[in-house]
Amino acid sequence: MPSLRQYFPILEWGRTYDRSALSNDLIAAVIVTIMLIPQSLAYALLAGLPPEAGIYASIAPIILYAIFGTSRALAVGPVAVVSLLTASAVGQVAEQGTAGYAVAALTLAFLSGGFLVLMGVLRLGFLANFLSHPVIAGFITASGILIATSQLKHILGVSAHGHTLPEMLGSIFAHLGEVNWITLLIGVTATAFLFWVRKNLKPSLRKLGVPPLLADILTKAGPVAAVVATTVAVWALGLADRGVKIVGEVPQSLPPLTLPGFAPDLLSALLIPAILISIIGFVESVSVAQTLAAKKRQRIDPDQELIGLGAANLGAAFTGGYPVTGGFARSVVNFDAGAETPAAGAFTAIGLAIAAVALTPLVHFLPNATLAATIIVAVLSLVDLSILKKTWGYSRADFTAVAATILLTLGLGVEIGVASGVAISVLLHLYKTSRPHVAEVGLVPDTQHFRNIHRHKVETDPTLVTLRVDESLYFVNARFLEDLIQKRVTIGCAVQNVILMFSAVNEVDYSALESLEAINQRLKDMGVGLHLSEVKGPVMDRLKRSHFLEELNGQVFLSQYDAWRTLTAPQAVEKAAAQPAP
């Protein structure tokens, strides 16, 4: 049973499910359902799909995640960034509005789900760590700008296109003469109203004495109010006949059983985009899930999260949806509303199923401008240009990565942007580790501690050089250590011994072993001894499998102080005048 509970977390939390948890989950489900109805319709529009696809993508995936996922607050469904990525990927293989476009979206969800499940079974969740946080922040910021810009055509009521910021802006300016002023009025009014609701409605209701829970529900129902008001206005005033684009006919049914496409050309065209969507979705989802879990001293299993998200995407592929992941906004709402278990998501799915059957006729006259306003207000909260200032002050390398990701995403599109983000993250890691921090250290007076000679007043010996290596040694940085030692021992002729302090070295790969052998031979030819100190057990075990220790032109010391005491000429010890660095 332990292994079964590992793959079916529902068996774990389901055993202790009680009436109190049921009550809290139901309340959370009501709030999230109210929020999700307009959001699902809007994100389907963003993905270039019929509005019902957003509802369908929020039913079966949520239930499957409740069975396989480990987060008790994560709310799975369509999100802005993944919807944008879907539109970009599917738009390359099919024309929007065609049956082929919908099949391609299903196929994208199928490939994404399969890839996520495979990663989960192989326990490869750690691969997501190769995406640095600054790069993710830059990509999400750029995506937020692209998404908001892409919705301006619906606010203006014009036909524009493009996948990059220059293309979108150029197309919008080219069609400014076609602006539908009634659509513009609806879009601007809805956007202003939603911004006001987000920032001011809840404080205003609390001042009027409205209970916190009711104030929260009314605030989350803000988009619903905008949907109702603009839909009624369009219907009552006959605005659809005056050029206002509306949602139109929406099927009144539960999610249908669908099949993704299995044509080799389609699968090969969507494979790379599916992998990128999977990685981005997983990183976003896990970061949200871990943050919320920590607040209740709970834990999530990243590898099982891969399986949960994979199952959700497979469910979307076979029920008329498109790729999904855990959304930040709705997950926070779910958490704040008191959700205690993934059952809250299942109840949300039931609420959305009821809406799909009973409420879809009511959105026939819903203007696209209102859905666009919903998207714009939601995604602008993702835009955080302050990350540029923060990284500039902290790390120029991280700033370069953020700036490059933002510019590439805006200028060349989201697929190239996210692929570049992955590449930049890996290259940034390789760059940083290719130049490991190596400090020359000396003895802190009257102690057994050793510190950097350029930061502290320490005792040194001109015949002895101790270099503390602060990173593991592998093929990327091994040559750097060779060059550093070569440069240091040729500065003067007084050096007789070199100690490599390995207290921070967790691994030495074969390339680094060859570099150590080369260093040993060069120092031996120069009449200089090479010694090691504070070598960790696993590293020592690996070195013992080679001939390096047998050929070492020196000793291996248990502690750096032992090495200092053994190799230092007492009469040569001097006080270093180095001051701590500012």
Side-chain angles (χ1 to χ4, degrees), residues 80-81 84-85 138-149 379 382-383 409-410 414:
V81 173
L84 178 65
L85 288 167
F139 173 73
I140 291 177
T141 291
S143 296
I145 295 172
L146 283 179
I147 292 168
T149 305
V379 301
L382 302 176
V383 177
T409 302
L410 294 177
V414 289

Side-chain angles (χ1 to χ4, degrees), residues 431-443:
Y431 172 75
K432 289 179 178 179
T433 57
S434 69
R435 303 177 61 83
H437 183 263
V438 179
E440 184 170 347
V441 299
L443 179 66

Side-chain angles (χ1 to χ4, degrees), residues 477-532:
N477 60 22
R479 186 58 186 267
F480 176 84
L481 183 63
E482 280 189 59
D483 295 340
L484 188 148
I485 293 176
Q486 183 73 17
K487 180 180 179 181
R488 178 63 181 85
V489 298
T490 55
I491 291 177
C493 58
V495 178
Q496 298 177 8
N497 292 287
V498 173
I499 304 173
L500 295 181
M501 187 175 174
F502 269 21
S503 55
V505 176
N506 296 314
E507 185 177 0
V508 175
D509 76 356
Y510 192 78
S511 296
L513 174 64
E514 291 184 333
S515 289
L516 290 176
E517 291 173 342
I519 293 169
N520 181 61
Q521 186 59 48
R522 289 174 188 169
L523 292 180
K524 185 176 182 180
D525 293 342
M526 297 169 63
V528 176
L530 175 64
H531 311 269
L532 305 180

